Amino acid sequence: MLQDLLPSSVVTAEAFADDPGEPCFPGEEDLVATAVDGRRREFVTARRCAREALARLGFDPAPIRSGPRREPVWPAGVAGSITHCAGYRAAAVARVTDVVSLGIDAEPHAPLPSRVLPAVTTPGDREHLADLAAQDPAVHWDRLLFSAKEAVYKAWYPVTRRWLGFEDASLTVDRVRGTFAARIHIESPWPALHGRWLVAGGLVLAAVTVTDPPAAQS
């Protein structure tokens, strides 16, 4: 499913279940040493997906450590992203000669908790969600918006190394084309980031691919 949202230069790997007996890859054990069992399983499976995708780019299996914001630290010359939610784990990687950065996110296709929505949307977002719901009430647009903003952040952070809050980007979703655009409200190397979305198999998937190099900041 994920590959449908990304260019052919991006390699993906997906899993829909965990192997309860699968051990941590050597060199990653400490990253989940104190994690509960469910968190450990999703970590192990998602990291396996990442190594499967990297292998298709020609990389040997190696630990994938975490950075200061728990982001995956990829081999030199690689842009990538990992996501996991109930019943789904996935990774996407590409060479930086093809893709500057990318972000993926998966969420269950269900409404966001009502208390969460104000924290992850701007007033303009909420107006847009109301319009989308009026046109197609079968889609949980609030969850889609959340997933898209997560994908935006995952593409943003590896390049900028700066926090991007939910309120720092406004989303416009094209429900017919399956695309979205995030307008960035803080100083940014890109005025907007663009992505694609999909609802299938009880999941919401969102992916952002950045191919333009960041503009110099004054």
Short mmCIF file of all heavy atoms in Angstrom, two decimals, residues 66-96:
data_model
loop_
_atom_site.label_atom_id
_atom_site.label_comp_id
_atom_site.label_asym_id
_atom_site.label_seq_id
_atom_site.Cartn_x
_atom_site.Cartn_y
_atom_site.Cartn_z
N SER A 66 18.86 5.41 17.30
CA SER A 66 17.91 6.52 17.39
C SER A 66 18.65 7.81 17.72
O SER A 66 19.63 7.81 18.48
CB SER A 66 16.87 6.25 18.48
OG SER A 66 16.08 5.13 18.15
N GLY A 67 18.14 8.92 17.14
CA GLY A 67 18.72 10.23 17.39
C GLY A 67 18.10 10.90 18.60
O GLY A 67 17.34 10.28 19.36
N PRO A 68 18.36 12.20 18.77
CA PRO A 68 17.92 12.91 19.98
C PRO A 68 16.41 12.99 20.14
O PRO A 68 15.92 13.14 21.25
CB PRO A 68 18.56 14.29 19.84
CG PRO A 68 18.91 14.42 18.39
CD PRO A 68 19.21 13.05 17.93
N ARG A 69 15.67 12.94 19.06
CA ARG A 69 14.21 12.95 19.14
C ARG A 69 13.63 11.59 18.76
O ARG A 69 12.51 11.49 18.27
CB ARG A 69 13.61 14.07 18.28
CG ARG A 69 13.94 15.46 18.81
CD ARG A 69 13.06 16.51 18.18
NE ARG A 69 13.33 17.82 18.71
CZ ARG A 69 12.78 18.34 19.81
NH1 ARG A 69 11.90 17.61 20.49
NH2 ARG A 69 13.08 19.54 20.22
N ARG A 70 14.42 10.57 18.99
CA ARG A 70 14.03 9.17 18.76
C ARG A 70 13.84 8.85 17.28
O ARG A 70 13.26 7.84 16.92
CB ARG A 70 12.76 8.82 19.55
CG ARG A 70 12.94 8.96 21.05
CD ARG A 70 11.66 8.72 21.80
NE ARG A 70 11.17 7.36 21.61
CZ ARG A 70 10.00 6.92 22.07
NH1 ARG A 70 9.20 7.75 22.74
NH2 ARG A 70 9.61 5.67 21.86
N GLU A 71 14.34 9.74 16.42
CA GLU A 71 14.26 9.49 14.98
C GLU A 71 15.30 8.44 14.58
O GLU A 71 16.37 8.34 15.19
CB GLU A 71 14.48 10.78 14.19
CG GLU A 71 15.92 11.27 14.09
CD GLU A 71 16.44 11.97 15.33
OE1 GLU A 71 15.71 12.02 16.34
OE2 GLU A 71 17.59 12.46 15.29
N PRO A 72 15.01 7.61 13.57
CA PRO A 72 16.00 6.63 13.11
C PRO A 72 17.23 7.34 12.54
O PRO A 72 17.10 8.36 11.85
CB PRO A 72 15.26 5.85 12.02
CG PRO A 72 13.82 6.18 12.18
CD PRO A 72 13.75 7.53 12.82
N VAL A 73 18.40 6.81 12.84
CA VAL A 73 19.64 7.33 12.27
C VAL A 73 20.03 6.41 11.11
O VAL A 73 20.42 5.25 11.31
CB VAL A 73 20.76 7.37 13.33
CG1 VAL A 73 22.06 7.85 12.68
CG2 VAL A 73 20.36 8.28 14.48
N TRP A 74 19.94 6.94 9.91
CA TRP A 74 20.13 6.14 8.71
C TRP A 74 21.60 6.13 8.29
O TRP A 74 22.36 7.03 8.65
CB TRP A 74 19.26 6.69 7.58
CG TRP A 74 17.82 6.68 7.92
CD1 TRP A 74 17.06 7.75 8.31
CD2 TRP A 74 16.95 5.55 7.94
NE1 TRP A 74 15.77 7.35 8.56
CE2 TRP A 74 15.67 6.00 8.35
CE3 TRP A 74 17.13 4.19 7.65
CZ2 TRP A 74 14.58 5.14 8.47
CZ3 TRP A 74 16.04 3.34 7.77
CH2 TRP A 74 14.79 3.82 8.17
N PRO A 75 22.00 5.16 7.48
CA PRO A 75 23.36 5.18 6.94
C PRO A 75 23.60 6.45 6.13
O PRO A 75 22.66 7.06 5.60
CB PRO A 75 23.39 3.94 6.04
CG PRO A 75 22.29 3.06 6.52
CD PRO A 75 21.23 3.97 7.04
N ALA A 76 24.86 6.84 6.05
CA ALA A 76 25.21 8.03 5.25
C ALA A 76 24.70 7.86 3.82
O ALA A 76 24.81 6.79 3.22
CB ALA A 76 26.72 8.22 5.25
N GLY A 77 24.10 8.93 3.32
CA GLY A 77 23.60 8.89 1.96
C GLY A 77 22.18 8.38 1.81
O GLY A 77 21.69 8.21 0.69
N VAL A 78 21.49 8.14 2.95
CA VAL A 78 20.14 7.60 2.91
C VAL A 78 19.17 8.55 3.60
O VAL A 78 19.48 9.11 4.66
CB VAL A 78 20.08 6.22 3.60
CG1 VAL A 78 18.63 5.74 3.76
CG2 VAL A 78 20.87 5.19 2.80
N ALA A 79 18.02 8.74 3.00
CA ALA A 79 16.88 9.39 3.65
C ALA A 79 15.85 8.31 3.93
O ALA A 79 15.65 7.40 3.11
CB ALA A 79 16.27 10.47 2.74
N GLY A 80 15.19 8.37 5.09
CA GLY A 80 14.24 7.33 5.40
C GLY A 80 13.25 7.72 6.47
O GLY A 80 13.35 8.79 7.08
N SER A 81 12.28 6.85 6.69
CA SER A 81 11.25 7.08 7.69
C SER A 81 10.65 5.74 8.08
O SER A 81 10.62 4.80 7.27
CB SER A 81 10.17 8.02 7.14
OG SER A 81 9.23 8.37 8.13
N ILE A 82 10.19 5.67 9.33
CA ILE A 82 9.57 4.46 9.88
C ILE A 82 8.23 4.84 10.49
O ILE A 82 8.08 5.93 11.03
CB ILE A 82 10.47 3.82 10.95
CG1 ILE A 82 11.72 3.21 10.32
CG2 ILE A 82 9.73 2.75 11.75
CD1 ILE A 82 12.73 2.68 11.33
N THR A 83 7.26 3.94 10.41
CA THR A 83 5.98 4.16 11.08
C THR A 83 5.46 2.83 11.62
O THR A 83 5.80 1.75 11.12
CB THR A 83 4.95 4.79 10.13
OG1 THR A 83 3.79 5.18 10.88
CG2 THR A 83 4.52 3.84 9.03
N HIS A 84 4.63 2.92 12.64
CA HIS A 84 3.95 1.73 13.16
C HIS A 84 2.69 2.15 13.88
O HIS A 84 2.62 3.21 14.51
CB HIS A 84 4.85 0.91 14.08
CG HIS A 84 5.61 1.72 15.08
ND1 HIS A 84 5.04 2.28 16.20
CD2 HIS A 84 6.92 2.07 15.11
CE1 HIS A 84 5.97 2.93 16.89
NE2 HIS A 84 7.11 2.83 16.25
N CYS A 85 1.67 1.34 13.74
CA CYS A 85 0.42 1.50 14.48
C CYS A 85 -0.17 0.10 14.64
O CYS A 85 0.42 -0.88 14.18
CB CYS A 85 -0.55 2.46 13.78
SG CYS A 85 -1.25 1.83 12.24
N ALA A 86 -1.31 -0.01 15.26
CA ALA A 86 -1.91 -1.33 15.48
C ALA A 86 -2.09 -2.06 14.16
O ALA A 86 -2.75 -1.59 13.24
CB ALA A 86 -3.26 -1.17 16.17
N GLY A 87 -1.44 -3.23 14.03
CA GLY A 87 -1.59 -4.06 12.85
C GLY A 87 -0.80 -3.65 11.64
O GLY A 87 -1.00 -4.20 10.56
N TYR A 88 0.16 -2.72 11.81
CA TYR A 88 0.90 -2.27 10.64
C TYR A 88 2.25 -1.69 11.05
O TYR A 88 2.33 -0.91 12.01
CB TYR A 88 0.11 -1.20 9.89
CG TYR A 88 0.74 -0.75 8.58
CD1 TYR A 88 0.68 -1.56 7.46
CD2 TYR A 88 1.38 0.47 8.48
CE1 TYR A 88 1.24 -1.17 6.26
CE2 TYR A 88 1.95 0.89 7.28
CZ TYR A 88 1.88 0.05 6.17
OH TYR A 88 2.45 0.46 4.99
N ARG A 89 3.30 -2.11 10.36
CA ARG A 89 4.65 -1.55 10.51
C ARG A 89 5.21 -1.32 9.11
O ARG A 89 4.97 -2.12 8.20
CB ARG A 89 5.60 -2.50 11.23
CG ARG A 89 5.05 -3.39 12.31
CD ARG A 89 4.40 -2.75 13.42
NE ARG A 89 4.04 -3.64 14.52
CZ ARG A 89 3.15 -3.32 15.42
NH1 ARG A 89 2.52 -2.14 15.33
NH2 ARG A 89 2.87 -4.13 16.41
N ALA A 90 5.97 -0.25 8.93
CA ALA A 90 6.51 0.02 7.60
C ALA A 90 7.73 0.92 7.68
O ALA A 90 7.93 1.65 8.66
CB ALA A 90 5.44 0.67 6.71
N ALA A 91 8.53 0.84 6.64
CA ALA A 91 9.69 1.71 6.49
C ALA A 91 9.83 2.09 5.02
O ALA A 91 9.41 1.34 4.13
CB ALA A 91 10.96 1.01 6.97
N ALA A 92 10.42 3.26 4.80
CA ALA A 92 10.68 3.74 3.44
C ALA A 92 12.06 4.38 3.43
O ALA A 92 12.39 5.14 4.34
CB ALA A 92 9.62 4.75 3.00
N VAL A 93 12.85 4.06 2.41
CA VAL A 93 14.21 4.60 2.31
C VAL A 93 14.50 4.96 0.86
O VAL A 93 13.92 4.40 -0.08
CB VAL A 93 15.27 3.62 2.83
CG1 VAL A 93 15.09 3.35 4.31
CG2 VAL A 93 15.25 2.30 2.04
N ALA A 94 15.43 5.89 0.69
CA ALA A 94 15.88 6.29 -0.65
C ALA A 94 17.27 6.88 -0.53
O ALA A 94 17.69 7.33 0.54
CB ALA A 94 14.92 7.31 -1.26
N ARG A 95 17.97 6.91 -1.61
CA ARG A 95 19.27 7.58 -1.64
C ARG A 95 19.04 9.09 -1.70
O ARG A 95 18.11 9.56 -2.39
CB ARG A 95 20.10 7.11 -2.83
CG ARG A 95 20.45 5.62 -2.75
CD ARG A 95 21.46 5.22 -3.80
NE ARG A 95 21.75 3.79 -3.72
CZ ARG A 95 22.62 3.24 -2.89
NH1 ARG A 95 23.30 4.03 -2.05
NH2 ARG A 95 22.83 1.94 -2.88
N VAL A 96 19.88 9.85 -1.00
CA VAL A 96 19.70 11.30 -0.97
C VAL A 96 20.00 11.94 -2.32
O VAL A 96 19.67 13.10 -2.53
CB VAL A 96 20.54 11.94 0.14
CG1 VAL A 96 20.07 11.49 1.51
CG2 VAL A 96 22.03 11.62 -0.05
#
